[in-house]
mmCIF file of all heavy atoms in Angstrom:
data_model
loop_
_atom_site.group_PDB
_atom_site.id
_atom_site.type_symbol
_atom_site.label_atom_id
_atom_site.label_comp_id
_atom_site.label_asym_id
_atom_site.label_seq_id
_atom_site.Cartn_x
_atom_site.Cartn_y
_atom_site.Cartn_z
ATOM 1 N N LEU A 50 -7.951 109.853 -18.077
ATOM 2 C CA LEU A 50 -8.347 108.507 -18.485
ATOM 3 C C LEU A 50 -7.097 107.684 -18.732
ATOM 4 O O LEU A 50 -6.154 108.166 -19.378
ATOM 5 C CB LEU A 50 -9.171 108.554 -19.772
ATOM 6 C CG LEU A 50 -10.491 109.287 -19.698
ATOM 7 C CD1 LEU A 50 -11.050 109.517 -21.084
ATOM 8 C CD2 LEU A 50 -11.458 108.494 -18.850
ATOM 9 N N PRO A 51 -7.068 106.438 -18.251
ATOM 10 C CA PRO A 51 -5.927 105.582 -18.560
ATOM 11 C C PRO A 51 -6.065 105.063 -19.997
ATOM 12 O O PRO A 51 -7.160 104.691 -20.437
ATOM 13 C CB PRO A 51 -6.055 104.444 -17.541
ATOM 14 C CG PRO A 51 -7.516 104.388 -17.231
ATOM 15 C CD PRO A 51 -8.045 105.798 -17.379
ATOM 16 N N ILE A 52 -4.975 105.090 -20.720
ATOM 17 C CA ILE A 52 -4.999 104.572 -22.100
ATOM 18 C C ILE A 52 -3.720 103.782 -22.354
ATOM 19 O O ILE A 52 -2.740 103.896 -21.624
ATOM 20 C CB ILE A 52 -5.132 105.710 -23.148
ATOM 21 C CG1 ILE A 52 -3.941 106.665 -23.059
ATOM 22 C CG2 ILE A 52 -6.439 106.442 -23.008
ATOM 23 C CD1 ILE A 52 -3.875 107.660 -24.208
ATOM 24 N N TRP A 53 -3.741 103.011 -23.427
ATOM 25 C CA TRP A 53 -2.536 102.330 -23.905
ATOM 26 C C TRP A 53 -1.991 103.143 -25.067
ATOM 27 O O TRP A 53 -2.738 103.705 -25.860
ATOM 28 C CB TRP A 53 -2.851 100.908 -24.372
ATOM 29 C CG TRP A 53 -3.268 100.017 -23.252
ATOM 30 C CD1 TRP A 53 -4.516 99.549 -23.004
ATOM 31 C CD2 TRP A 53 -2.430 99.488 -22.229
ATOM 32 N NE1 TRP A 53 -4.520 98.764 -21.886
ATOM 33 C CE2 TRP A 53 -3.234 98.704 -21.384
ATOM 34 C CE3 TRP A 53 -1.075 99.603 -21.926
ATOM 35 C CZ2 TRP A 53 -2.750 98.039 -20.271
ATOM 36 C CZ3 TRP A 53 -0.580 98.932 -20.821
ATOM 37 C CH2 TRP A 53 -1.404 98.170 -20.018
ATOM 38 N N HIS A 54 -0.659 103.189 -25.150
ATOM 39 C CA HIS A 54 -0.014 103.992 -26.182
ATOM 40 C C HIS A 54 1.191 103.229 -26.737
ATOM 41 O O HIS A 54 1.923 102.586 -25.992
ATOM 42 C CB HIS A 54 0.441 105.318 -25.566
ATOM 43 C CG HIS A 54 1.284 106.159 -26.466
ATOM 44 N ND1 HIS A 54 0.771 106.835 -27.540
ATOM 45 C CD2 HIS A 54 2.612 106.430 -26.442
ATOM 46 C CE1 HIS A 54 1.749 107.496 -28.144
ATOM 47 N NE2 HIS A 54 2.873 107.265 -27.500
ATOM 48 N N SER A 55 1.376 103.337 -28.040
ATOM 49 C CA SER A 55 2.551 102.727 -28.659
ATOM 50 C C SER A 55 3.622 103.807 -28.769
ATOM 51 O O SER A 55 3.438 104.810 -29.454
ATOM 52 C CB SER A 55 2.179 102.203 -30.053
ATOM 53 O OG SER A 55 3.327 101.697 -30.693
ATOM 54 N N ASN A 56 4.759 103.606 -28.095
ATOM 55 C CA ASN A 56 5.817 104.620 -28.112
ATOM 56 C C ASN A 56 6.717 104.455 -29.340
ATOM 57 O O ASN A 56 6.469 103.606 -30.208
ATOM 58 C CB ASN A 56 6.621 104.588 -26.805
ATOM 59 C CG ASN A 56 7.375 103.295 -26.599
ATOM 60 O OD1 ASN A 56 7.595 102.521 -27.534
ATOM 61 N ND2 ASN A 56 7.793 103.044 -25.362
ATOM 62 N N ASP A 57 7.776 105.265 -29.419
ATOM 63 C CA ASP A 57 8.678 105.251 -30.578
ATOM 64 C C ASP A 57 9.421 103.918 -30.751
ATOM 65 O O ASP A 57 9.870 103.597 -31.842
ATOM 66 C CB ASP A 57 9.707 106.377 -30.464
ATOM 67 C CG ASP A 57 9.063 107.744 -30.574
ATOM 68 O OD1 ASP A 57 7.935 107.831 -31.128
ATOM 69 O OD2 ASP A 57 9.672 108.735 -30.118
ATOM 70 N N GLN A 58 9.541 103.171 -29.662
ATOM 71 C CA GLN A 58 10.205 101.864 -29.740
ATOM 72 C C GLN A 58 9.185 100.748 -30.018
ATOM 73 O O GLN A 58 9.497 99.572 -29.894
ATOM 74 C CB GLN A 58 10.966 101.553 -28.441
ATOM 75 C CG GLN A 58 12.180 102.426 -28.184
ATOM 76 C CD GLN A 58 11.791 103.813 -27.667
ATOM 77 O OE1 GLN A 58 10.853 103.958 -26.879
ATOM 78 N NE2 GLN A 58 12.502 104.825 -28.120
ATOM 79 N N HIS A 59 7.972 101.114 -30.370
ATOM 80 C CA HIS A 59 6.880 100.179 -30.672
ATOM 81 C C HIS A 59 6.506 99.306 -29.473
ATOM 82 O O HIS A 59 6.084 98.174 -29.629
ATOM 83 C CB HIS A 59 7.220 99.313 -31.897
ATOM 84 C CG HIS A 59 7.527 100.135 -33.095
ATOM 85 N ND1 HIS A 59 6.571 100.834 -33.793
ATOM 86 C CD2 HIS A 59 8.713 100.411 -33.709
ATOM 87 C CE1 HIS A 59 7.136 101.487 -34.786
ATOM 88 N NE2 HIS A 59 8.430 101.257 -34.755
ATOM 89 N N GLU A 60 6.685 99.873 -28.302
ATOM 90 C CA GLU A 60 6.259 99.190 -27.088
ATOM 91 C C GLU A 60 4.893 99.746 -26.692
ATOM 92 O O GLU A 60 4.616 100.924 -26.897
ATOM 93 C CB GLU A 60 7.250 99.456 -25.948
ATOM 94 C CG GLU A 60 8.654 98.987 -26.243
ATOM 95 C CD GLU A 60 9.650 99.530 -25.237
ATOM 96 O OE1 GLU A 60 9.519 100.700 -24.800
ATOM 97 O OE2 GLU A 60 10.581 98.787 -24.902
ATOM 98 N N ILE A 61 4.081 98.921 -26.113
ATOM 99 C CA ILE A 61 2.786 99.357 -25.613
ATOM 100 C C ILE A 61 2.979 99.748 -24.147
ATOM 101 O O ILE A 61 3.418 98.930 -23.332
ATOM 102 C CB ILE A 61 1.722 98.244 -25.735
ATOM 103 C CG1 ILE A 61 1.626 97.748 -27.174
ATOM 104 C CG2 ILE A 61 0.382 98.725 -25.212
ATOM 105 C CD1 ILE A 61 1.206 98.812 -28.167
ATOM 106 N N VAL A 62 2.670 100.999 -23.843
ATOM 107 C CA VAL A 62 2.861 101.510 -22.485
ATOM 108 C C VAL A 62 1.575 102.181 -22.003
ATOM 109 O O VAL A 62 0.782 102.700 -22.793
ATOM 110 C CB VAL A 62 4.034 102.522 -22.428
ATOM 111 C CG1 VAL A 62 5.361 101.841 -22.724
ATOM 112 C CG2 VAL A 62 3.812 103.682 -23.362
ATOM 113 N N ALA A 63 1.402 102.148 -20.707
ATOM 114 C CA ALA A 63 0.249 102.809 -20.095
ATOM 115 C C ALA A 63 0.506 104.315 -20.045
ATOM 116 O O ALA A 63 1.621 104.760 -19.770
ATOM 117 C CB ALA A 63 0.019 102.264 -18.697
ATOM 118 N N MET A 64 -0.526 105.077 -20.345
ATOM 119 C CA MET A 64 -0.428 106.543 -20.299
ATOM 120 C C MET A 64 -1.705 107.109 -19.705
ATOM 121 O O MET A 64 -2.681 106.386 -19.488
ATOM 122 C CB MET A 64 -0.233 107.123 -21.701
ATOM 123 C CG MET A 64 1.128 106.837 -22.288
ATOM 124 S SD MET A 64 1.417 107.818 -23.750
ATOM 125 C CE MET A 64 1.432 109.465 -23.091
ATOM 126 N N GLU A 65 -1.666 108.374 -19.517
ATOM 127 C CA GLU A 65 -2.837 109.084 -19.015
ATOM 128 C C GLU A 65 -3.236 110.133 -20.054
ATOM 129 O O GLU A 65 -2.397 110.872 -20.555
ATOM 130 C CB GLU A 65 -2.493 109.766 -17.685
ATOM 131 C CG GLU A 65 -3.592 110.635 -17.147
ATOM 132 C CD GLU A 65 -3.158 111.409 -15.915
ATOM 133 O OE1 GLU A 65 -2.165 112.163 -16.000
ATOM 134 O OE2 GLU A 65 -3.824 111.272 -14.889
ATOM 135 N N TYR A 66 -4.519 110.190 -20.378
ATOM 136 C CA TYR A 66 -5.054 111.205 -21.279
ATOM 137 C C TYR A 66 -5.901 112.145 -20.427
ATOM 138 O O TYR A 66 -6.751 111.693 -19.656
ATOM 139 C CB TYR A 66 -5.916 110.553 -22.370
ATOM 140 C CG TYR A 66 -6.605 111.542 -23.264
ATOM 141 C CD1 TYR A 66 -5.909 112.216 -24.257
ATOM 142 C CD2 TYR A 66 -7.959 111.822 -23.117
ATOM 143 C CE1 TYR A 66 -6.544 113.137 -25.080
ATOM 144 C CE2 TYR A 66 -8.603 112.742 -23.931
ATOM 145 C CZ TYR A 66 -7.883 113.401 -24.903
ATOM 146 O OH TYR A 66 -8.502 114.313 -25.709
ATOM 147 N N ARG A 67 -5.650 113.459 -20.556
ATOM 148 C CA ARG A 67 -6.419 114.453 -19.800
ATOM 149 C C ARG A 67 -7.221 115.320 -20.749
ATOM 150 O O ARG A 67 -6.720 115.721 -21.798
ATOM 151 C CB ARG A 67 -5.482 115.347 -18.980
ATOM 152 C CG ARG A 67 -4.804 114.630 -17.853
ATOM 153 C CD ARG A 67 -3.924 115.570 -17.067
ATOM 154 N NE ARG A 67 -3.352 114.873 -15.931
ATOM 155 C CZ ARG A 67 -2.861 115.469 -14.863
ATOM 156 N NH1 ARG A 67 -2.837 116.792 -14.810
ATOM 157 N NH2 ARG A 67 -2.382 114.767 -13.869
ATOM 158 N N THR A 68 -8.436 115.636 -20.314
ATOM 159 C CA THR A 68 -9.283 116.520 -21.114
ATOM 160 C C THR A 68 -10.285 117.229 -20.211
ATOM 161 O O THR A 68 -10.624 116.726 -19.133
ATOM 162 C CB THR A 68 -10.020 115.739 -22.226
ATOM 163 O OG1 THR A 68 -10.662 116.673 -23.092
ATOM 164 C CG2 THR A 68 -11.038 114.774 -21.672
ATOM 165 N N TRP A 69 -10.742 118.398 -20.667
ATOM 166 C CA TRP A 69 -11.785 119.135 -19.962
ATOM 167 C C TRP A 69 -13.127 118.728 -20.549
ATOM 168 O O TRP A 69 -13.307 118.716 -21.758
ATOM 169 C CB TRP A 69 -11.592 120.645 -20.137
ATOM 170 C CG TRP A 69 -10.430 121.190 -19.374
ATOM 171 C CD1 TRP A 69 -9.183 121.448 -19.862
ATOM 172 C CD2 TRP A 69 -10.395 121.550 -17.994
ATOM 173 N NE1 TRP A 69 -8.372 121.937 -18.869
ATOM 174 C CE2 TRP A 69 -9.099 122.018 -17.712
ATOM 175 C CE3 TRP A 69 -11.326 121.520 -16.962
ATOM 176 C CZ2 TRP A 69 -8.717 122.461 -16.447
ATOM 177 C CZ3 TRP A 69 -10.943 121.970 -15.701
ATOM 178 C CH2 TRP A 69 -9.654 122.423 -15.457
ATOM 179 N N LEU A 70 -14.078 118.393 -19.691
ATOM 180 C CA LEU A 70 -15.421 118.017 -20.119
ATOM 181 C C LEU A 70 -16.448 118.834 -19.345
ATOM 182 O O LEU A 70 -16.167 119.349 -18.260
ATOM 183 C CB LEU A 70 -15.674 116.531 -19.867
ATOM 184 C CG LEU A 70 -14.814 115.558 -20.660
ATOM 185 C CD1 LEU A 70 -15.058 114.125 -20.182
ATOM 186 C CD2 LEU A 70 -15.105 115.676 -22.145
ATOM 187 N N GLU A 71 -17.637 118.907 -19.920
ATOM 188 C CA GLU A 71 -18.740 119.576 -19.235
ATOM 189 C C GLU A 71 -19.415 118.574 -18.306
ATOM 190 O O GLU A 71 -19.518 117.390 -18.641
ATOM 191 C CB GLU A 71 -19.739 120.111 -20.250
ATOM 192 C CG GLU A 71 -19.148 121.189 -21.136
ATOM 193 C CD GLU A 71 -20.106 121.643 -22.226
ATOM 194 O OE1 GLU A 71 -21.238 121.112 -22.316
ATOM 195 O OE2 GLU A 71 -19.724 122.541 -22.982
ATOM 196 N N PRO A 72 -19.905 119.021 -17.158
ATOM 197 C CA PRO A 72 -20.547 118.089 -16.219
ATOM 198 C C PRO A 72 -21.982 117.777 -16.650
ATOM 199 O O PRO A 72 -22.944 118.044 -15.944
ATOM 200 C CB PRO A 72 -20.495 118.840 -14.892
ATOM 201 C CG PRO A 72 -20.540 120.275 -15.291
ATOM 202 C CD PRO A 72 -19.780 120.367 -16.587
ATOM 203 N N ARG A 73 -22.113 117.197 -17.835
ATOM 204 C CA ARG A 73 -23.417 116.810 -18.378
ATOM 205 C C ARG A 73 -23.508 115.287 -18.349
ATOM 206 O O ARG A 73 -22.494 114.601 -18.512
ATOM 207 C CB ARG A 73 -23.567 117.293 -19.820
ATOM 208 C CG ARG A 73 -23.435 118.782 -19.993
ATOM 209 C CD ARG A 73 -23.692 119.215 -21.433
ATOM 210 N NE ARG A 73 -23.436 118.174 -22.415
ATOM 211 C CZ ARG A 73 -22.864 118.397 -23.598
ATOM 212 N NH1 ARG A 73 -22.498 119.606 -23.949
ATOM 213 N NH2 ARG A 73 -22.681 117.410 -24.447
ATOM 214 N N PRO A 74 -24.701 114.740 -18.210
ATOM 215 C CA PRO A 74 -24.839 113.274 -18.147
ATOM 216 C C PRO A 74 -24.331 112.561 -19.391
ATOM 217 O O PRO A 74 -23.963 111.397 -19.310
ATOM 218 C CB PRO A 74 -26.347 113.053 -17.977
ATOM 219 C CG PRO A 74 -26.901 114.365 -17.546
ATOM 220 C CD PRO A 74 -25.961 115.426 -18.001
ATOM 221 N N ASP A 75 -24.307 113.237 -20.541
ATOM 222 C CA ASP A 75 -23.796 112.570 -21.745
ATOM 223 C C ASP A 75 -22.267 112.647 -21.822
ATOM 224 O O ASP A 75 -21.673 112.140 -22.769
ATOM 225 C CB ASP A 75 -24.431 113.154 -23.012
ATOM 226 C CG ASP A 75 -24.110 114.623 -23.226
ATOM 227 O OD1 ASP A 75 -23.906 115.355 -22.231
ATOM 228 O OD2 ASP A 75 -24.063 115.048 -24.394
ATOM 229 N N GLN A 76 -21.604 113.273 -20.828
ATOM 230 C CA GLN A 76 -20.142 113.318 -20.795
ATOM 231 C C GLN A 76 -19.574 112.759 -19.486
ATOM 232 O O GLN A 76 -18.563 112.073 -19.505
ATOM 233 C CB GLN A 76 -19.640 114.756 -20.997
ATOM 234 C CG GLN A 76 -19.891 115.290 -22.380
ATOM 235 C CD GLN A 76 -19.263 116.661 -22.611
ATOM 236 O OE1 GLN A 76 -18.482 117.164 -21.812
ATOM 237 N NE2 GLN A 76 -19.601 117.270 -23.730
ATOM 238 N N LEU A 77 -20.208 113.092 -18.372
ATOM 239 C CA LEU A 77 -19.705 112.675 -17.057
ATOM 240 C C LEU A 77 -20.851 112.252 -16.159
ATOM 241 O O LEU A 77 -21.932 112.834 -16.215
ATOM 242 C CB LEU A 77 -18.986 113.840 -16.370
ATOM 243 C CG LEU A 77 -17.665 114.299 -16.944
ATOM 244 C CD1 LEU A 77 -17.198 115.554 -16.226
ATOM 245 C CD2 LEU A 77 -16.623 113.211 -16.809
ATOM 246 N N ARG A 78 -20.568 111.259 -15.305
ATOM 247 C CA ARG A 78 -21.538 110.863 -14.290
ATOM 248 C C ARG A 78 -20.790 110.554 -12.997
ATOM 249 O O ARG A 78 -19.801 109.828 -13.017
ATOM 250 C CB ARG A 78 -22.320 109.638 -14.751
ATOM 251 C CG ARG A 78 -23.347 109.953 -15.824
ATOM 252 C CD ARG A 78 -24.473 108.925 -15.895
ATOM 253 N NE ARG A 78 -24.172 107.649 -15.302
ATOM 254 C CZ ARG A 78 -23.785 106.569 -15.987
ATOM 255 N NH1 ARG A 78 -23.644 106.606 -17.286
ATOM 256 N NH2 ARG A 78 -23.551 105.437 -15.359
ATOM 257 N N PRO A 79 -21.254 111.095 -11.896
ATOM 258 C CA PRO A 79 -20.603 110.770 -10.619
ATOM 259 C C PRO A 79 -20.894 109.326 -10.221
ATOM 260 O O PRO A 79 -21.877 108.734 -10.651
ATOM 261 C CB PRO A 79 -21.251 111.754 -9.635
ATOM 262 C CG PRO A 79 -22.558 112.110 -10.260
ATOM 263 C CD PRO A 79 -22.371 112.008 -11.746
ATOM 264 N N LEU A 80 -20.028 108.790 -9.415
ATOM 265 C CA LEU A 80 -20.235 107.451 -8.866
ATOM 266 C C LEU A 80 -20.934 107.583 -7.514
ATOM 267 O O LEU A 80 -20.575 108.469 -6.714
ATOM 268 C CB LEU A 80 -18.892 106.736 -8.682
ATOM 269 C CG LEU A 80 -18.206 106.287 -9.961
ATOM 270 C CD1 LEU A 80 -16.757 105.917 -9.695
ATOM 271 C CD2 LEU A 80 -18.950 105.097 -10.548
ATOM 272 N N ASP A 81 -21.905 106.749 -7.266
ATOM 273 C CA ASP A 81 -22.604 106.774 -5.980
ATOM 274 C C ASP A 81 -21.620 106.527 -4.848
ATOM 275 O O ASP A 81 -20.759 105.650 -4.938
ATOM 276 C CB ASP A 81 -23.699 105.695 -5.943
ATOM 277 C CG ASP A 81 -24.869 106.033 -6.853
ATOM 278 O OD1 ASP A 81 -25.081 107.230 -7.137
ATOM 279 O OD2 ASP A 81 -25.554 105.090 -7.294
ATOM 280 N N GLY A 82 -21.752 107.340 -3.804
ATOM 281 C CA GLY A 82 -20.927 107.159 -2.612
ATOM 282 C C GLY A 82 -19.529 107.749 -2.695
ATOM 283 O O GLY A 82 -18.773 107.655 -1.738
ATOM 284 N N VAL A 83 -19.162 108.358 -3.826
ATOM 285 C CA VAL A 83 -17.823 108.945 -3.952
ATOM 286 C C VAL A 83 -17.882 110.408 -3.518
ATOM 287 O O VAL A 83 -18.786 111.154 -3.895
ATOM 288 C CB VAL A 83 -17.305 108.828 -5.403
ATOM 289 C CG1 VAL A 83 -15.982 109.559 -5.564
ATOM 290 C CG2 VAL A 83 -17.150 107.357 -5.779
ATOM 291 N N ASP A 84 -16.911 110.813 -2.690
ATOM 292 C CA ASP A 84 -16.845 112.183 -2.188
ATOM 293 C C ASP A 84 -16.000 113.031 -3.144
ATOM 294 O O ASP A 84 -14.816 112.755 -3.331
ATOM 295 C CB ASP A 84 -16.230 112.181 -0.787
ATOM 296 C CG ASP A 84 -16.090 113.577 -0.197
ATOM 297 O OD1 ASP A 84 -16.767 114.511 -0.680
ATOM 298 O OD2 ASP A 84 -15.294 113.722 0.755
ATOM 299 N N TYR A 85 -16.612 114.044 -3.734
ATOM 300 C CA TYR A 85 -15.912 114.927 -4.664
ATOM 301 C C TYR A 85 -15.540 116.270 -4.021
ATOM 302 O O TYR A 85 -15.042 117.167 -4.691
ATOM 303 C CB TYR A 85 -16.775 115.173 -5.908
ATOM 304 C CG TYR A 85 -17.024 113.916 -6.708
ATOM 305 C CD1 TYR A 85 -18.220 113.220 -6.598
ATOM 306 C CD2 TYR A 85 -16.042 113.412 -7.550
ATOM 307 C CE1 TYR A 85 -18.444 112.055 -7.312
ATOM 308 C CE2 TYR A 85 -16.254 112.236 -8.274
ATOM 309 C CZ TYR A 85 -17.453 111.570 -8.143
ATOM 310 O OH TYR A 85 -17.658 110.413 -8.857
ATOM 311 N N SER A 86 -15.751 116.412 -2.730
ATOM 312 C CA SER A 86 -15.521 117.696 -2.064
ATOM 313 C C SER A 86 -14.043 118.096 -2.025
ATOM 314 O O SER A 86 -13.729 119.278 -1.904
ATOM 315 C CB SER A 86 -16.081 117.673 -0.641
ATOM 316 O OG SER A 86 -15.403 116.709 0.150
ATOM 317 N N GLY A 87 -13.135 117.149 -2.142
ATOM 318 C CA GLY A 87 -11.710 117.471 -2.103
ATOM 319 C C GLY A 87 -11.105 117.830 -3.450
ATOM 320 O O GLY A 87 -9.919 118.135 -3.541
ATOM 321 N N VAL A 88 -11.916 117.810 -4.505
ATOM 322 C CA VAL A 88 -11.400 118.120 -5.846
ATOM 323 C C VAL A 88 -11.092 119.614 -5.925
ATOM 324 O O VAL A 88 -11.934 120.440 -5.566
ATOM 325 C CB VAL A 88 -12.431 117.726 -6.928
ATOM 326 C CG1 VAL A 88 -11.965 118.163 -8.309
ATOM 327 C CG2 VAL A 88 -12.679 116.232 -6.895
ATOM 328 N N PRO A 89 -9.882 119.984 -6.373
ATOM 329 C CA PRO A 89 -9.574 121.416 -6.507
ATOM 330 C C PRO A 89 -10.611 122.103 -7.395
ATOM 331 O O PRO A 89 -10.909 121.651 -8.492
ATOM 332 C CB PRO A 89 -8.197 121.422 -7.167
ATOM 333 C CG PRO A 89 -7.607 120.087 -6.843
ATOM 334 C CD PRO A 89 -8.774 119.135 -6.778
ATOM 335 N N THR A 90 -11.179 123.165 -6.874
ATOM 336 C CA THR A 90 -12.260 123.870 -7.563
ATOM 337 C C THR A 90 -11.907 125.335 -7.685
ATOM 338 O O THR A 90 -11.537 125.974 -6.703
ATOM 339 C CB THR A 90 -13.587 123.695 -6.789
ATOM 340 O OG1 THR A 90 -13.851 122.294 -6.679
ATOM 341 C CG2 THR A 90 -14.738 124.377 -7.493
ATOM 342 N N GLU A 91 -12.025 125.853 -8.902
ATOM 343 C CA GLU A 91 -11.674 127.244 -9.182
ATOM 344 C C GLU A 91 -12.919 127.985 -9.678
ATOM 345 O O GLU A 91 -13.230 127.967 -10.866
ATOM 346 C CB GLU A 91 -10.585 127.278 -10.261
ATOM 347 C CG GLU A 91 -10.069 128.638 -10.585
ATOM 348 C CD GLU A 91 -9.027 128.574 -11.695
ATOM 349 O OE1 GLU A 91 -8.279 127.587 -11.786
ATOM 350 O OE2 GLU A 91 -8.987 129.526 -12.480
ATOM 351 N N PRO A 92 -13.657 128.628 -8.745
ATOM 352 C CA PRO A 92 -14.825 129.374 -9.192
ATOM 353 C C PRO A 92 -14.400 130.617 -9.966
ATOM 354 O O PRO A 92 -13.281 131.109 -9.813
ATOM 355 C CB PRO A 92 -15.550 129.747 -7.902
ATOM 356 C CG PRO A 92 -14.506 129.687 -6.849
ATOM 357 C CD PRO A 92 -13.458 128.706 -7.318
ATOM 358 N N LEU A 93 -15.293 131.088 -10.781
ATOM 359 C CA LEU A 93 -15.040 132.292 -11.563
ATOM 360 C C LEU A 93 -14.849 133.464 -10.627
ATOM 361 O O LEU A 93 -15.642 133.683 -9.720
ATOM 362 C CB LEU A 93 -16.216 132.563 -12.504
ATOM 363 C CG LEU A 93 -16.144 133.827 -13.328
ATOM 364 C CD1 LEU A 93 -14.998 133.735 -14.336
ATOM 365 C CD2 LEU A 93 -17.445 134.054 -14.063
ATOM 366 N N VAL A 94 -13.773 134.191 -10.833
ATOM 367 C CA VAL A 94 -13.570 135.416 -10.078
ATOM 368 C C VAL A 94 -14.351 136.500 -10.805
ATOM 369 O O VAL A 94 -14.083 136.787 -11.964
ATOM 370 C CB VAL A 94 -12.066 135.775 -9.993
ATOM 371 C CG1 VAL A 94 -11.878 137.093 -9.287
ATOM 372 C CG2 VAL A 94 -11.317 134.656 -9.298
ATOM 373 N N LYS A 95 -15.325 137.034 -10.129
ATOM 374 C CA LYS A 95 -16.166 138.037 -10.775
ATOM 375 C C LYS A 95 -15.388 139.319 -10.957
ATOM 376 O O LYS A 95 -14.707 139.780 -10.045
ATOM 377 C CB LYS A 95 -17.414 138.284 -9.949
ATOM 378 C CG LYS A 95 -18.245 137.026 -9.801
ATOM 379 C CD LYS A 95 -19.675 137.358 -9.591
ATOM 380 C CE LYS A 95 -20.432 136.091 -9.365
ATOM 381 N NZ LYS A 95 -21.249 135.656 -10.368
ATOM 382 N N PRO A 96 -15.445 139.892 -12.168
ATOM 383 C CA PRO A 96 -14.753 141.149 -12.385
ATOM 384 C C PRO A 96 -15.395 142.265 -11.576
ATOM 385 O O PRO A 96 -16.550 142.162 -11.164
ATOM 386 C CB PRO A 96 -14.924 141.396 -13.892
ATOM 387 C CG PRO A 96 -16.112 140.584 -14.282
ATOM 388 C CD PRO A 96 -16.181 139.431 -13.326
ATOM 389 N N ALA A 97 -14.640 143.298 -11.364
ATOM 390 C CA ALA A 97 -15.166 144.459 -10.659
ATOM 391 C C ALA A 97 -16.371 144.994 -11.422
ATOM 392 O O ALA A 97 -16.463 144.839 -12.639
ATOM 393 C CB ALA A 97 -14.087 145.538 -10.555
#
């Protein structure tokens, strides 16, 4: 998410905030027509 941040020099700078969310409608919603197939995806490696 893009955010504004006040740095040590009291300047307002653009930053990026990253977080892990669950793919639930109350947290995330896809945009119509957007292709998500290229997003790096790491399925669970099933243990032996």
Side-chain angles (χ1 to χ4, degrees):
L50 297 168
I52 61 170
W53 293 108
H54 172 73
S55 176
N56 64 18
D57 293 339
Q58 292 77 38
H59 303 288
E60 300 168 322
I61 305 298
V62 294
M64 289 192 65
E65 174 186 57
Y66 175 76
R67 292 181 176 200
T68 189
W69 288 98
L70 295 173
E71 296 175 359
R73 301 184 335 219
D75 63 330
Q76 292 186 10
L77 291 174
R78 286 203 340 261
L80 288 166
D81 289 335
V83 174
D84 179 19
Y85 296 100
S86 63
V88 175
T90 302
E91 184 182 327
L93 176 66
V94 176
K95 299 207 184 252

